[in-house]
C-alpha cells in the first residue's frame, strides 16, 4: 500500500472508457477517483430544472451560483448528490446528455467546478481525475497525463450496448450522432477545449478490452513515476 502523493489526469472524448478504467485503475493504485463529467452533468441538471434557455450564458451562470453538489471520490462507491437527492442515475439520461456540452462551455460554470476539482484533488493525496481538460487546465502539474482515444464507431458501439443492457433502447445511429456531436462541441469550444496535453501519453482503446486498457495504463503510470509494477 503506497501513501506517496500521486495525481493521474485522464482525458479523452466520450465513450473511450475513461470512467470505467479510471475507477479500476484508482483501486489498483490505492488512490481516490474523481469523475469531473458527473460534476458538469449535475450543473446541467440544475440548469434544466431551472428552465433557462441553453443559449443564455448569463442565466446559466445565475442558475448554478448556489449549486449544492456533493461528489464522492471513493472509487468503489458512486456518490453524486444535488442537495440531498441522489442524482447519479438522472444525470446519465438523454436530456442531460444532450444539454451538457452547452452548459459546460459557460465560463462561470467551469470556474466554479474547476475550483472544486482542484480542492478535491489536493485533499486526496493520491487520485485519478478524469474529464476533458484535466491535464491541460485543471491539474497541469499532474504526475501522469493520459489521453484515451478510440474510433467513434467503437465508442458508439460500446455506449449502445450499455444502453441496451440498462434498458435505454437500441439505436446505434442516434448514439453515433450524439458521440460525434459532443466530440465536436467539446473540442471546438473557446474555453478549455478537449485536446491532449503536450506531455500526455495517448492510449488507443479501440482494440483493447477493459482489462487490457487497465494493464496498459498501469504500465504507463509505473513508467512515468518510476514505480515497480
Ligand atoms: N476497452 C473497452 N472495451 C469494451 N467496452 C468498453 C471499453 N472501455 C469502456 N467500455 C464500455 O464502454 C462504455 C462507455 O465507457 P465509459 O462510460 O467508461 O466511457 P467514458 O469515456 O467515461 O464516457 P463519457 O465521457 O461519455 O462518460 C461502458 O459501457 C463501458 O463498459
Ligand atoms: N473536465 C470535463 C468533463 C466533462 N466536461 C463536459 O461534460 C460532458 C459530460 O462528460 P462525461 O465524461 O460524463 O461524458 C462532456 O461532454 C463535456 O461537455 C467538460 O467540459 N470538462
Amino acid at each position: 500500500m503506497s501513501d506517496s502523493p500521486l495525481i493521474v489526469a485522464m482525458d479523452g472524448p466520450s465513450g473511450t472508457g475513461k470512467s470505467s478504467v479510471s475507477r479500476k485503475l484508482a483501486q489498483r493504485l490505492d488512490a481516490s477517483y474523481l469523475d469531473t463529467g458527473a460534476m458538469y452533468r449535475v450543473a446541467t441538471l440544475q440548469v434544466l430544472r431551472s428552465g433557462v434557455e441553453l443559449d443564455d450564458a448569463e442565466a446559466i451562470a445565475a442558475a448554478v451560483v448556489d449549486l449544492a453538489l456533493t461528489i464522492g471520490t471513493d472509487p468503489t462507491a458512486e456518490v453524486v448528490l444535488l442537495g440531498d437527492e441522489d442524482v447519479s442515475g438522472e444525470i446519465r439520461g438523454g436530456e442531460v446528455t444532450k444539454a451538457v456540452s452547452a452548459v459546460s462551455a459557460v465560463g462561470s460554470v467551469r470556474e466554479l467546478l474547476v475550483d472544486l476539482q482542484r480542492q478535491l484533488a489536493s485533499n486526496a493525496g493520491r487520485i485519478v481525475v478524469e474529464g476533458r481538460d484535466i491535464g491541460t487546465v485543471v491539474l497541469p502539474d499532474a504526475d501522469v497525463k493520459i489521453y484515451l482515444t478510440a474510433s467513434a464507431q467503437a465508442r458508439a458501439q460500446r455506449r449502445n450496448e450499455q444502453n441496451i443492457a440498462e434498458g435505454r433502447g437500441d439505436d446505434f445511429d442516434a448514439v453515433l450522432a450524439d458521440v460525434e456531436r459532443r466530440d465536436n462541441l467539446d473540442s471546438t469550444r473557446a474555453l478549455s477545449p478537449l485536446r491532449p496535453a503536450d506531455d500526455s501519453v495517448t492510449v488507443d482503446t479501440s482494440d483493447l478490452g477493459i482489462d487490457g486498457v487497465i494493464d496498459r495504463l498501469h504500465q504507463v503510470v509505473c513508467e512515468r513515476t518510476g514505480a515497480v509494477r
Side-chain angles (χ1 to χ4, degrees):
M1 191 151 155
S2 173
D3 56 3
S4 52
L6 172 71
I7 294 185
V8 178
M10 185 86 64
D11 291 301
S14 108
T16 45
K18 297 182 302 297
S19 307
S20 326
V21 300
S22 298
R23 205 177 273 285
K24 290 190 175 158
L25 180 67
Q27 290 175 57
R28 203 187 272 194
L29 293 170
D30 202 13
S32 300
Y33 160 70
L34 181 63
D35 177 354
T36 64
M39 300 170 76
Y40 287 97
R41 286 172 179 272
V42 174
T44 302
L45 182 59
Q46 170 136 325
V47 166
L48 290 173
R49 285 181 178 178
S50 70
V52 306
E53 297 295 329
L54 291 176
D55 58 1
D56 186 343
E58 267 183 43
I60 290 176
V64 300
V65 175
D66 61 348
L67 186 71
L69 162 68
T70 303
I71 181 128
T73 58
D74 177 346
T76 64
E78 185 179 29
V79 175
V80 188
L81 305 178
L82 178 54
D84 292 335
E85 183 186 352
D86 176 358
V87 292
S88 54
E90 191 172 356
I91 59 166
R92 312 279 169 206
E95 257 197 287
V96 169
T97 300
K98 266 195 211 97
V100 66
S101 292
V103 173
S104 68
V106 174
S108 53
V109 175
R110 301 203 73 80
E111 278 166 30
L112 180 80
L113 296 183
V114 167
D115 270 358
L116 187 53
Q117 289 157 14
R118 288 181 178 145
Q119 276 172 40
L120 290 164
S122 75
N123 291 341
R126 291 174 70 81
I127 191 163
V128 179
V129 184
E130 59 113 336
R132 301 293 189 289
D133 59 342
I134 309 305
T136 52
V137 174
V138 180
L139 300 165
D141 297 328
D143 302 289
V144 185
K145 298 181 186 179
I146 294 166
Y147 191 81
L148 284 189
T149 61
S151 69
Q153 289 278 333
R155 292 185 282 126
Q157 173 116 22
R158 290 171 186 172
R159 186 64 79 203
N160 197 43
E161 278 166 14
Q162 183 182 4
N163 286 347
I164 294 167
E166 292 174 2
R168 294 188 208 260
D170 173 4
D171 190 345
F172 175 81
D173 291 342
V175 172
L176 178 61
D178 181 66
V179 159
E180 289 176 333
R181 182 187 63 84
R182 256 190 322 137
D183 285 357
N184 182 45
L185 288 171
D186 291 344
S187 55
T188 58
R189 69 182 175 215
L191 298 172
S192 310
L194 167 68
R195 65 169 183 80
D198 293 339
D199 49 352
S200 63
V201 177
T202 295
V203 174
D204 189 328
T205 72
S206 308
D207 299 318
L208 287 173
I210 291 186
D211 289 342
V213 177
I214 294 164
D215 285 346
R216 172 72 189 120
L217 299 182
H218 190 240
Q219 184 187 19
V220 170
V221 172
C222 292
E223 282 167 6
R224 288 268 161 146
T225 59
V228 180
R229 294 182 74 197

